[in-house]
């Protein structure tokens, strides 16, 4: 038994080192002019809200003859001092993403200690799971692009909000969920779950008294402020508090001279809209059913030809997540499951499933922190061997997907 434990530890450690090597390579390969948040920060430094030059990616809006970067502003705030120092050609977004990556790992180590009763093996496995068996490693690897950079910081802030809610530090939880919202808008839906985490087991959920009102308003304070900031930001750009710019993305003026793999997204937005029932089947299959897929070609169908850039099901790549259903069926369990279902349900009608991704569905990171809390509450010490095997499997699959994706898709 002891030798088996050593072997599994060596395998897990070796896989973690392989991931770190891939991430180090991504740092060395990063080039300027790839992350639109550098443009947004540069525009702010010039005292303007529109982009001063052509957009680094295709997801920019054209409104009244001006180009706007549509994404929530918090990651640009993080980027601002670096762009002020190094200019619009700042090219160290992957190292910044690695900072978020490391802090996320530290937070989940702390959460793991708290939720497992300081069971070191379970805490270590949970941290490896978060860092290397979910889409987080891939998102960090691609931090030189705007979508992934925002997702990595959104994951950090939402994880921090959960950590401080578990510690009953309501103002800190409020601050971090507000910051998460300004990275990934759907995280605002964490609020009911965070409120439940703030309660003692003996405190009735629906009791309304001075303490409950103070708790609720304290938790909602920063998110309300963040929403107001976002509304003001939208109004200043587009003349409407509810217009984020998505209505104006992919105009014909931005069409590339040659077709690209993501052209179907332009057709979707122009002809079907940002949200539509037509997207449900596609998104459902990739979220729950599709596995990693490599296409073969050649006379004997033995030549690697392409990798599916729409990713794979997070539950097939990381099946250990399903053990969250073994958590005690407390009110936190039901509020957590409801939060995951609500965010996931909305994204099933979204025009994109996270394109492009050589990993599990990256949009799962919007609700995975909630599910991970439930998973920790369902993990038991006697499950360590099977958990180790499942997490090692997920790490191997994720690493293989990133490797094949990079080789065949030039990621």
């Amino acid at each position: 038994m002891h030798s088996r434990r050593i072997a599994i530890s060596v395998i897990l450690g070796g896989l973690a080192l392989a991931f770190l090597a891939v991430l180090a390579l991504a740092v060395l390969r990063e080039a300027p002019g790839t992350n639109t948040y550098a443009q947004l920060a540069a525009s702010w430094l010039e005292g303007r809200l529109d982009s001063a030059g052509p957009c680094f990616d295709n997801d920019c809006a054209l409104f009244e003859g001006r180009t706007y970067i549509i994404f929530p502003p918090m990651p640009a705030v993080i980027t601002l001092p670096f762009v002020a120092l190094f200019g619009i050609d700042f090219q160290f977004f992957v190292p910044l993403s690695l900072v978020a990556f490391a802090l996320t790992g530290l937070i989940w180590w702390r959460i793991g200690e708290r939720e497992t009763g300081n069971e070191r093996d379970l805490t270590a496995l949970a941290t490896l799971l978060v860092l290397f068996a979910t889409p987080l490693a891939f998102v960090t690897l691609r931090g030189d692009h705007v979508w992934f950079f925002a997702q990595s910081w959104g994951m950090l802030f939402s994880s921090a909000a959960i950590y401080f809610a578990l510690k009953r530090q309501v103002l800190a939880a409020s601050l971090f969920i507000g910051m998460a919202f300004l990275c990934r808008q759907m995280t605002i839906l964490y609020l009911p779950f965070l409120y439940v985490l703030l309660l003692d087991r003996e405190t009735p959920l629906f009791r309304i008294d001075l303490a409950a009102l103070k708790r609720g308003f304290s938790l909602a304070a920063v998110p309300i402020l963040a929403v107001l900031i976002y509304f003001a930001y939208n109004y200043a750009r587009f003349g409407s508090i509810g217009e984020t710019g998505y209505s104006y993305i992919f105009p014909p003026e931005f069409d590339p001279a040659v077709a690209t793999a993501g052209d179907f997204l332009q057709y979707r937005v122009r002809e079907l809209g940002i949200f539509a029932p037509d997207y449900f089947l596609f998104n459902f299959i990739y979220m729950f059913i599709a596995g990693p897929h490599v296409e073969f070609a050649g006379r004997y169908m033995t030549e690697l030809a392409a990798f599916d850039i729409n990713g794979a099901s997070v539950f097939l790549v990381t099946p250990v997540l399903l053990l969250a259903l073994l958590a005690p069926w407390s009110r936190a369990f039901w509020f957590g499951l409801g939060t995951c279902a609500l965010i996931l349900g909305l994204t099933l009608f979204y025009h994109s499933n996270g394109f492009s991704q050589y990993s599990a569905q990256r949009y799962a990171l919007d609700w995975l922190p909630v599910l991970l809390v439930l998973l920790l509450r369902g993990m038991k010490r006697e499950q360590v061997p099977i958990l180790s095997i499942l997490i090692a499997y997920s790490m191997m699959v994720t690493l293989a997907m990133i490797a094949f994706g990079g080789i065949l898709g030039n990621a």
Side-chain angles (χ1 to χ4, degrees):
M1 180 64 72
H2 183 66
S3 60
R4 182 182 301 174
R5 181 176 178 178
I6 293 175
I8 292 176
S9 299
V10 169
I11 291 171
L12 289 170
L15 288 169
L17 289 174
F19 271 103
L20 294 177
V22 171
L23 290 168
L25 183 60
V27 172
L28 297 175
R29 293 175 59 183
E30 185 174 353
T34 55
N35 194 311
T36 306
Y37 276 123
Q39 284 182 293
L40 183 55
S43 296
W44 290 353
L45 291 169
E46 295 174 1
R48 57 195 297 170
L49 295 177
D50 62 315
S51 176
C55 193
F56 288 164
D57 58 72
N58 293 326
D59 280 11
C60 284
L62 185 64
F63 178 72
E64 295 184 349
R66 295 181 178 182
T67 300
Y68 291 90
I69 292 152
I70 61 174
F71 303 103
M74 188 66 208
V77 174
I78 297 167
T79 305
L80 194 63
F82 301 98
V83 174
L85 287 173
F86 302 104
I88 198 171
D89 289 330
F90 174 70
Q91 63 181 81
F92 297 103
F93 284 93
V94 176
L96 285 180
S97 298
L98 282 169
V99 171
F101 182 78
L103 290 174
T104 301
L106 176 61
I107 286 171
W108 281 100
W109 180 274
R110 298 298 187 195
I111 294 175
E113 287 180 327
R114 187 178 187 87
E115 294 300 307
T116 64
N118 287 314
E119 287 284 353
R120 195 171 186 84
D121 287 346
L122 290 176
T123 299
L125 286 173
T127 306
L128 286 174
L129 166 66
V130 173
L131 294 180
F132 303 118
T134 70
L136 182 60
F138 173 78
V139 163
T140 304
L141 177 70
R142 297 287 297 277
D144 55 333
H145 291 284
V146 61
W147 314 276
F148 309 99
F149 186 72
Q151 191 107 52
S152 64
W153 285 92
M155 176 72 174
L156 169 63
F157 295 144
S158 56
S159 299
I162 288 175
Y163 172 67
F164 285 108
L166 289 168
K167 292 190 68 177
R168 310 288 201 277
Q169 296 183 19
V170 61
L171 291 178
S174 177
L175 172 65
F176 281 107
I177 202 60
M179 294 168 69
F181 166 76
L182 291 175
C183 294
R184 300 288 300 173
Q185 300 98 320
M186 292 253 188
T187 54
I188 197 74
L189 299 174
Y190 278 43
L191 283 172
F193 177 67
L194 294 175
Y195 183 84
V196 171
L197 292 183
L198 289 167
L199 300 177
D200 296 323
R201 290 184 180 180
E202 297 77 20
T203 303
L205 178 60
F206 298 108
R207 183 172 68 191
I208 300 177
D209 54 18
L210 184 60
L213 291 173
K214 181 180 178 181
R215 187 187 306 113
F217 281 117
S218 297
L219 179 61
V222 178
I224 289 173
L225 178 61
V227 170
L228 292 176
I229 291 171
Y230 198 39
F231 281 170
Y233 183 55
N234 291 337
Y235 186 82
R237 294 181 299 165
F238 305 112
S240 171
I241 63 173
E243 179 54 69
T244 62
Y246 275 88
S247 299
Y248 305 107
I249 64 173
F250 301 140
E253 292 88 340
F254 288 175
D255 281 356
V258 295
T260 64
D263 280 353
F264 72 94
L265 294 178
Q266 298 188 28
Y267 302 142
R268 285 181 174 186
V269 171
R270 290 174 185 171
E271 299 170 16
L272 299 175
I274 299 297
F275 285 91
D278 305 71
Y279 309 137
F280 178 83
L281 183 60
F282 179 92
N283 291 337
F284 180 87
I285 288 175
Y286 275 101
M287 180 58 71
F288 294 104
I289 299 173
H293 180 62
V294 179
E295 293 183 7
F296 288 85
R299 181 182 181 89
Y300 305 109
M301 291 289 286
T302 55
E303 301 170 15
L304 294 174
F307 195 87
D308 190 342
I309 55 178
N310 290 296
S313 165
V314 67
F315 297 108
L316 288 180
V317 173
T318 315
V320 71
L321 292 173
L322 295 172
L323 295 180
L325 298 175
L326 299 180
W329 286 10
S330 63
R331 59 190 178 189
F333 174 86
W334 294 112
F335 270 83
L337 212 59
T339 301
C340 294
L342 180 58
I343 297 174
L344 173 57
L346 289 171
T347 56
L348 291 179
F349 296 95
Y350 190 56
H351 74 280
S352 168
N353 73 322
F355 177 92
S356 65
Q357 53 199 353
Y358 304 111
S359 177
Q361 305 295 288
R362 69 177 176 89
Y363 286 167
L365 293 177
D366 291 336
W367 46 266
L368 264 183
V370 175
L371 194 69
L372 288 168
V373 173
L374 306 184
L375 175 63
L376 281 167
R377 293 182 171 185
M379 291 168 65
K380 302 291 186 293
R381 180 169 180 79
E382 57 269 21
Q383 298 171 341
V384 166
I386 187 62
L387 289 171
S388 301
I389 293 170
L390 287 174
I391 291 171
Y393 159 80
S394 297
M395 291 171 68
M396 286 189 288
V397 171
T398 302
L399 190 62
M401 292 173 72
I402 291 173
F404 280 120
I407 294 169
L408 299 175
N410 298 317

